[in-house]
Amino acid sequence: QKEVEQDPGPLSVPEGAIVSLNCTYSNSAFQYFMWYRQYSRKGPELLMYTYSSGNKEDGRFTAQVDKSSKYISLFIRDSQPSDSATYLCAMSAGGGGNKLTFGTGTQLKVEL
Amino acid sequence: EPEVTQTPSHQVTQMGQEVILRCVPISNHLYFYWYRQILGQKVEFLVSFYNNEISEKSEIFDDQFSVERPDGSNFTLKIRSTKLEDSAMYFCASSRGGIGEETQYFGPGTRLLVL
């Protein structure tokens, strides 16, 4: 079983739709959960950061973490064509090294 | 807004040659990282660095790889003898560290092509 699983997509939605992106994980030591957006051949750009379980909202983006189910989600409301990108979930156990373990990324296309 | 910068943006090298990839982390950050992404694959952790020493490294980070903070601003990744399979995008990242400061910020990457 992979440590972090993420549906690669592609996911195509019409402009204005609500988008739901998800990751599951197997390592119960993960405590820090992040979502990054990556445009083609660019570096990952941090969107959301959550510690432990719960919800966090920032503008059109909402991140949810359910540690009991080992499941995290990112919701994008009122999606725009500029949201078209690959969305990466990443997580870490913290501690000295604090390495991030990434999912494969979900490719999202928001169409006019 | 402060950001992580990387040079060069692209590098082409012959197999067996040494390459040095350079990064300037965000100035008040204390933890530094290298990741790589082979085309079409996920981002993979290589190494983390704190207080002038390696904190953690992955199995990918073998004896061909080394990292250094030669001065107060630069952070480098050296590959001593490049292989074809080292072709990838290499990302530098940095974080402040400490409780609640674990967020890592990534640079734009260096695309390395080994021929």
Side-chain angles (χ1 to χ4, degrees):
Chain A
Q1 184 183 12
K2 292 180 183 176
E3 262 193 307
V4 180
E5 304 233 30
Q6 185 176 9
D7 186 337
L11 177 63
S12 185
V13 301
E15 184 179 8
I18 296 174
V19 176
S20 172
L21 305 168
N22 312 292
C23 287
T24 58
Y25 63 95
S26 58
N27 187 346
S28 56
F30 288 146
Q31 299 186 73
Y32 304 93
F33 304 91
M34 282 136 276
W35 286 95
Y36 288 86
R37 178 172 60 195
Q38 187 177 31
Y39 293 110
S40 182
R41 303 195 169 207
K42 301 292 184 185
E45 172 195 3
L46 180 71
L47 283 177
M48 299 289 283
Y49 163 80
T50 310
Y51 169 67
S52 195
S53 284
N55 294 358
K56 187 173 184 179
E57 187 173 323
D58 184 2
R60 296 185 295 113
F61 299 92
T62 300
Q64 289 185 350
V65 174
D66 182 349
K67 288 188 70 180
S68 62
S69 302
K70 296 190 178 68
Y71 186 88
I72 70 170
S73 302
L74 177 71
F75 297 95
I76 307 174
R77 288 182 298 281
D78 188 25
S79 55
Q80 303 295 310
S82 57
D83 294 328
S84 298
T86 297
Y87 289 79
L88 312 174
C89 64
M91 43 200 83
S92 79
N98 197 31
K99 72 172 188 180
L100 292 180
T101 301
F102 281 83
T104 53
T106 299
Q107 187 180 351
L108 171 67
K109 184 171 183 181
V110 181
E111 304 195 45
L112 290 168
Chain B
E1 186 175 324
E3 58 184 18
V4 177
T5 59
Q6 291 185 243
T7 54
S9 57
H10 294 78
Q11 173 119 24
V12 181
T13 190
Q14 295 292 322
M15 189 170 56
Q17 294 296 304
E18 175 183 286
V19 295
I20 297 176
L21 309 183
R22 291 181 168 79
C23 168
V24 178
I26 295 173
S27 63
N28 62 350
H29 285 189
L30 302 177
Y31 291 79
F32 315 115
Y33 311 84
W34 284 101
Y35 292 82
R36 79 171 186 190
Q37 186 176 30
I38 295 171
L39 188 64
Q41 298 186 25
K42 67 177 184 176
V43 177
E44 299 175 289
F45 169 79
L46 292 178
V47 66
S48 59
F49 190 87
Y50 169 72
N51 200 26
N52 281 321
E53 59 183 30
I54 291 174
S55 305
E56 187 174 356
K57 60 183 180 179
S58 71
E59 60 274 11
I60 302 168
F61 194 89
D62 61 22
D63 292 343
Q64 294 297 314
F65 291 88
S66 62
V67 289
E68 191 178 30
R69 187 152 165 83
D71 54 42
S73 59
N74 290 283
F75 180 51
T76 62
L77 174 69
K78 182 192 291 185
I79 309 175
R80 286 189 188 79
S81 178
T82 50
K83 308 184 187 83
L84 296 177
E85 55 266 35
D86 293 328
S87 295
M89 194 79 158
Y90 287 81
F91 295 109
C92 174
S94 69
S95 68
R96 283 194 70 172
I99 306 289
E101 300 285 354
E102 299 83 4
T103 309
Q104 295 180 28
Y105 296 88
F106 282 73
T110 293
R111 182 165 297 281
L112 176 65
L113 178 61
V114 183
L115 301 175

